[in-house]
Amino acid sequence: RPEVPWILDIHGGGFGYVMAEYQLLNACIYSKSLECRVFLPSYHLLPEYPYPAAAKDVQAVYQYLIEHAETFQLSRKKFLVMGDSAGAALAAGLVNDTACRQLPMPCGQVLLYPVADRRMQTESMKRYTDTPLWNAVNNRHMWELYLKDVPEEAYKEASPMEMKLPDRLPPAYIETTEFDCLRDEGAAYASRIMGIADTVRLCETKGTIHGYDMAMDSPVTKKYRKKRLEIMKEFLKGADL
């Protein structure tokens, strides 16, 4: 039976919100455009479930899909892990953990305006304290809830800029948004994994706010979604080499 390419797409929402409609619609576009299956896992949410509940959930989904690839006719080589915002933090952590545990690695990781650094010391974090949809005030509250009652020595495990990195990572595409408190830490994470990931593509979108692609039909969204899809297609094609 033919094996189908697939994507594990981890939704954002500050670790505390269920999947939004636009995140589901984007996943449908990915599936149709790339002729692949997209899995959108639910995970335990704040405030009831701080770290590591969500991370454990996505790890369990990933392992299940790997172990049951034949049952679902899934390719064992052509698959991506992606996420947006807090989902991108979970995606980055999952890919790093997968490599450290010597599980099959995806052929690419796609991180959209990622949550990346619980220390919150970047210039964009200091500047964007009242921007729409997400800002530094929201971000601080999120980290306080996410790390509530978590031992301080475990903080680094939740923060992509601080977590342990393996010797090698799959190709990465990292997208940042211009008027976003998370902008600089997304770019910093791209720099951090440079030389460890096979390739790193940083796309610094312009005229955008966090979660801009909820405006599904805007010219800006269409422009950057096209670029996103081109690179995802390239990552999947690269698995054949």
Side-chain angles (χ1 to χ4, degrees):
R1 296 185 295 177
E3 293 185 341
V4 181
W6 55 283
I7 300 171
L8 180 61
D9 186 2
I10 305 168
H11 73 82
F15 302 113
Y17 292 91
V18 296
M19 186 190 316
E21 182 179 2
Y22 82 95
Q23 292 164 325
L24 176 59
L25 291 173
N26 271 330
C28 292
I29 292 172
Y30 304 150
S31 179
K32 183 176 181 180
S33 300
L34 300 172
E35 298 182 330
C36 68
R37 293 181 184 171
V38 181
F39 296 89
L40 296 143
S42 297
Y43 51 84
H44 286 88
L45 301 171
L46 296 178
E48 288 85 0
Y49 298 97
Y51 180 82
K56 296 285 188 184
D57 287 343
V58 298
Q59 287 170 3
V61 171
Y62 183 86
Q63 186 154 349
Y64 184 87
L65 291 172
I66 292 293
E67 291 176 353
H68 294 81
E70 185 174 352
T71 301
F72 297 119
Q73 296 178 250
L74 303 177
S75 173
R76 296 181 181 275
K77 292 171 57 180
K78 299 176 71 170
F79 62 95
L80 306 173
V81 170
M82 71 179 300
D84 64 283
S85 191
L90 292 171
L94 174 62
V95 173
N96 294 343
D97 178 72
T98 296
C100 290
R101 292 167 57 194
Q102 298 184 318
L103 291 172
M105 282 200 304
C107 61
Q109 54 181 319
V110 177
L111 310 178
L112 309 178
Y113 33 88
V115 168
D117 196 343
R118 56 102 194 171
R119 297 168 296 185
M120 296 181 55
Q121 295 299 310
T122 64
E123 287 304 311
S124 62
M125 192 62 69
K126 296 171 185 175
R127 180 175 183 181
Y128 296 117
T129 58
D130 61 354
T131 41
L133 297 184
W134 199 250
N135 55 55
V137 175
N138 303 139
N139 203 71
R140 186 171 300 280
H141 183 57
M142 174 200 72
W143 278 116
E144 288 171 354
L145 291 175
Y146 194 53
L147 298 176
K148 183 179 180 181
D149 300 326
V150 174
E152 190 169 345
E153 59 269 20
Y155 285 178
K156 293 182 179 180
E157 298 172 8
S159 178
M161 278 300 293
E162 301 174 274
M163 62 180 54
K164 179 182 177 182
L165 295 178
D167 295 332
R168 179 176 171 267
L169 286 168
Y173 171 73
I174 299 177
E175 192 177 289
T176 63
T177 42
E178 184 172 6
F179 305 107
D180 184 0
C181 64
L182 299 171
R183 182 192 66 202
D184 293 349
E185 61 189 59
Y189 188 67
S191 295
R192 186 179 186 221
I193 63 173
M194 197 82 68
I196 300 173
D198 292 345
T199 59
V200 179
R201 314 280 186 85
L202 175 64
C203 177
E204 299 176 297
T205 67
K206 302 300 181 185
T208 51
I209 61 172
H210 191 85
Y212 75 95
D213 46 342
M214 68 170 50
M216 299 288 296
D217 296 323
S218 78
V220 172
T221 296
K222 289 181 177 179
K223 172 186 174 180
Y224 289 118
R225 188 169 57 216
K226 181 181 178 183
K227 179 178 179 66
R228 193 185 296 172
L229 284 165
E230 287 172 352
I231 292 178
M232 291 163 72
K233 185 176 182 179
E234 180 183 320
F235 286 168
L236 290 170
K237 187 176 180 181
D240 291 328
L241 301 178

